Amino acid sequence: MKPRTWLPYLAFSFLALAACPRARAQTRPAATAHALTKGSWQQLATDASRTGKPAWRPMLTYVAHLHQQGTHPAAWPFDYEWEDLGPGYVYGNAFGHWDVVHETLDVLPSYPEHALHQLLNDIKNQEPSGLLPGSIYMPGGMSGRDSVTWNKNTQGHPPLWPLAVQDYVKQTNDSAVIRTFYTPLVRQIAWFENNRKAEGEGFFYNDILLKKWESGVDEGIRFDEVAKGPLACVDATSHVYALYQIAARWARQLGLEASYYEKRTNELRTFIQTGLYVPADGMFYDIWAVKNPALRNLPFESMWPLVMGAATPEQANRYIDSYLLNKTVFLTDHPIATVGRRDPKFELRMWRGPAWNSMAYWAARGCLNYGRKDAAKIILEKALDDSAKQFKRTGTIWEFYNPLGGKPEDVKRKPSTQYNTPCRDYLGHNPLIEMARLYDSIK
């Protein structure tokens, strides 16, 4: 199916859903589906006090408190209570981006109702084009804003939310919510096909065109030298691969036609394994770095084929052993370094070297996709150990961390702005409770 044909296909999906009596009955607001999916803030605090190593628990309990503190009553443009990115975010109260996925996963087992509400809030403001906005900036917080604003045209974000929906269903057995989320997923796929399709095969983020950091990786090294153009990015292509894969699964569960999504899943998997991989290096790259060795670096975004399950087992194990578990690359004192330690572009600045706990979490999930519990445990334990160490010293959780184990205060954020240190009390990239749960499950 070519991008221009998505509207008839989506219409078919609507008609198929409407024709099914059970589907009509289950398209009511998903948040009220099952009383057993509720949970509470108290449960989150209790679980945090019992999870992981004893040395981590004061930090985890603090994180549970921040989740509650950062949650606001329902207000336009949201239907449910909404959780901000953390009280220390320098740009004030905000909702969304991939941050809300990390927050959702962090609270999910203890407070599934709140987690579901955040996912419903996330899809609420999808544009007719299928664009899901990046961050929605709300009044209040450090910014002092008095109005609501967001980009409705050019700025999307990494579409990780369907993975959180999958985890919600697995946690609660509330599969009825798939009917609520299926159409937004189909529409977002259409948006990527119409607006982010790369030349040939694959997908891109607008970082390569506008340097507005749609990928979530502000000022990432991959776009320092590359010429502008719709060229396949390894992260965007892997993320859309997961969208196709989940759409196929949900379509089958709903009794809908899944063949197109299955076809595109297979095509993108092959492209990632062959077109975005250099066997001599055992590394995944963006298409321009595959074609031009002079543009090859060691950015952490190379891990996304593993996280989304698109790599072959051989590729994944080689990548884990050569890069994720390599102390000269990503396995720094606080993993994972967002640029390989031995890369000349490595520096202690935001996404150009420092460690973000959310990415350590995704790296661990990538390892587990291929049965590598050993690697997942090492990454999680080192990240949590240093986070707890810094919490004991400073009494806060940081937006990102010094990968060499030093003070987060010594790491730069954006030197060209007035905000040049990591934010304190930042939840959006600190799914620390979920990281500790995952550690407990594999230790």
Side-chain angles (χ1 to χ4, degrees):
M1 183 176 68
K2 297 179 181 178
R4 66 176 180 272
T5 65
W6 77 273
L7 282 171
Y9 187 83
L10 183 56
F12 170 80
S13 297
F14 288 151
L15 290 171
L17 283 169
C20 176
R22 188 176 62 150
R24 291 198 303 271
Q26 293 182 347
T27 53
R28 67 187 184 275
T32 61
H34 297 291
L36 295 178
T37 64
K38 287 188 176 294
S40 66
W41 291 123
Q42 181 56 53
Q43 188 62 54
L44 181 66
T46 299
D47 292 346
S49 70
R50 298 172 177 172
T51 302
K53 293 183 181 179
W56 300 344
R57 292 172 185 167
M59 173 184 68
L60 301 181
T61 302
Y62 182 78
V63 169
H65 167 73
L66 282 183
H67 278 292
Q68 184 174 7
Q69 179 186 343
T71 298
H72 307 261
W76 185 85
F78 306 120
D79 290 336
Y80 301 97
E81 85 280 359
W82 61 276
E83 187 169 342
D84 64 36
L85 306 188
Y89 183 45
V90 295
Y91 295 109
N93 289 343
F95 173 91
H97 220 279
W98 51 2
D99 303 64
V100 73
V101 176
H102 302 141
E103 292 174 320
T104 296
L105 293 168
D106 211 34
V107 304
L108 174 54
S110 305
Y111 201 172
E113 182 181 60
H114 176 73
L116 179 57
H117 286 177
Q118 303 321 295
L119 293 169
L120 291 169
N121 284 338
D122 198 31
I123 63 172
K124 167 68 187 305
N125 297 290
Q126 188 172 37
E127 295 294 324
S129 66
L131 170 70
L132 275 176
S135 295
I136 297 178
Y137 295 96
M138 302 292 286
M142 293 179 66
S143 72
R145 257 188 317 275
D146 60 2
S147 62
V148 180
T149 182
W150 71 91
N151 185 314
K152 299 182 180 182
N153 301 305
T154 62
Q155 200 74 0
H157 64 287
L160 304 183
W161 64 269
L163 281 76
V165 174
Q166 289 281 93
D167 284 7
Y168 172 84
V169 172
K170 182 178 180 181
Q171 175 70 33
T172 65
N173 294 316
D174 182 14
S175 60
V177 302
I178 291 174
R179 298 187 181 277
T180 300
F181 289 101
Y182 177 71
T183 297
L185 172 58
V186 170
R187 292 173 63 198
Q188 188 172 40
I189 288 173
W191 181 81
F192 271 98
E193 291 178 335
N194 289 328
N195 297 276
R196 296 292 183 268
K197 181 67 175 64
E199 293 177 352
E201 182 59 286
F203 293 84
F204 66 92
Y205 286 126
N206 73 6
D207 304 39
I208 196 170
L209 300 178
L210 305 177
K211 295 200 172 181
K212 295 292 185 181
W213 315 122
E214 183 176 66
S215 71
V217 182
D218 294 22
E219 302 177 8
I221 66 168
R222 298 151 60 211
F223 305 100
D224 284 352
E225 285 89 25
V226 64
K228 291 182 179 180
L231 304 177
C233 301
V234 67
D235 48 354
T237 303
S238 298
H239 295 159
V240 178
Y241 163 82
L243 296 187
Y244 284 126
Q245 187 178 53
I246 293 172
R249 182 180 307 151
W250 289 358
R252 290 191 295 268
Q253 289 178 249
L254 295 170
L256 301 175
E257 175 60 46
S259 60
Y260 171 68
Y261 300 119
E262 292 168 344
K263 175 176 178 289
R264 290 298 291 139
T265 298
N266 293 332
E267 290 171 347
L268 274 193
R269 183 190 299 115
T270 298
F271 176 66
I272 291 168
Q273 293 175 359
T274 60
L276 299 181
Y277 186 73
V278 175
D281 296 351
M283 173 60 84
F284 293 95
Y285 295 104
D286 302 302
I287 191 68
W288 58 89
V290 171
K291 295 179 178 180
N292 183 355
L295 297 177
R296 293 177 190 170
N297 294 104
L298 294 171
F300 83 98
E301 295 97 319
S302 55
M303 74 178 183
W304 284 111
L306 281 71
V307 180
M308 299 307 176
T312 68
E314 181 183 7
Q315 289 171 336
N317 280 296
R318 184 177 175 188
Y319 181 92
I320 291 167
D321 292 329
S322 299
Y323 298 103
L324 283 180
L325 292 183
N326 189 331
K327 293 181 180 180
T328 72
V329 188
F330 298 129
L331 192 65
T332 43
D333 291 339
H334 188 137
I336 61 171
T338 45
V339 172
R341 181 69 181 89
R342 70 182 186 224
D343 193 305
K345 287 184 177 290
F346 175 91
E347 59 178 304
L348 296 181
R349 172 159 72 92
M350 206 161 181
W351 291 100
R352 302 174 72 90
W356 296 65
N357 283 324
S358 56
M359 298 305 127
Y361 170 72
W362 288 116
R365 282 184 60 146
C367 293
L368 293 175
N369 283 341
Y370 295 89
R372 293 297 301 271
K373 292 183 178 181
D374 60 320
K377 179 184 176 184
I378 290 170
I379 291 168
L380 292 168
E381 186 169 28
K382 287 174 72 69
L384 286 161
D385 278 349
D386 189 61
S387 296
K389 172 186 171 183
Q390 301 304 333
F391 176 78
K392 184 176 182 180
R393 185 180 64 82
T394 65
T396 190
I397 59 169
W398 295 84
E399 183 181 18
F400 50 91
Y401 288 80
N402 189 324
L404 306 182
K407 298 178 179 180
E409 305 97 306
D410 296 337
V411 177
K412 298 183 187 326
R413 193 175 190 276
K414 292 185 177 181
S416 60
T417 74
Q418 61 181 312
Y419 307 116
N420 197 27
T421 56
C423 300
R424 294 170 174 261
D425 285 348
Y426 192 93
L427 278 172
H429 281 284
N430 278 298
L432 294 165
I433 301 172
E434 175 61 12
M435 290 168 67
R437 287 193 205 98
L438 195 58
Y439 173 84
D440 282 350
S441 75
I442 60 178
K443 68 180 181 181

